[in-house]
Amino acid sequence: PVKKRMSGGTIALIVVAVGGVLLVPVAILAAIAIPAYQDYVGKAQFAEATMVAGPYKELVAAHHANAGTCPNDADINASGMQGKYVGRVEFPGGPAPCAITIVFADGEPTVAPLRGGRVSFLGTPTPDGMAWQCQSGLPDKYKPMACR
């Protein structure tokens, strides 16, 4: 009997078909995983803002208790207080509620939706100190529940 050999075109077709079957699930998984990972990274970066603001809450409450007004940038030196994703900390001053405003860094490695964005922690005087609230116009998917 005469054996037929596969032609080069047939082999190429088989390789393309098998490759396509293997690549499609990988591409689908990547399409789901990459955005989810970016959201996770953004949440972690937003959490840094909360951590940076933490120590200032006590200073702001003490200043308000002593001076009767909210501190401004000249009252609290935050020039060296940055993080990997936090660009600067601002204190606008004035009457209550007192604000601690965290400004995210403008460039890498901060995720694009947070770059240059702001989150404010507003302290309202109470008999026991200050009650704090978080406000930000940044996308909710990056914010902790306390800031939504």
Side-chain angles (χ1 to χ4, degrees), residues 5-17:
R5 301 179 101 201
M6 286 204 276
S7 71
T10 306
I11 294 172
L13 182 61
I14 292 170
V15 169
V16 169

Side-chain angles (χ1 to χ4, degrees), residues 4 6 9 26 30 69 85 88 120 135 143:
K4 272 186 132 180
M6 286 204 276
V26 171
T69 62
Y85 312 108
R88 66 184 181 279
S120 293
Q135 289 184 349
K143 299 177 195 175

Side-chain angles (χ1 to χ4, degrees), residues 9 15 47 54 62 98 115:
V15 169
C98 297
R115 290 182 192 158

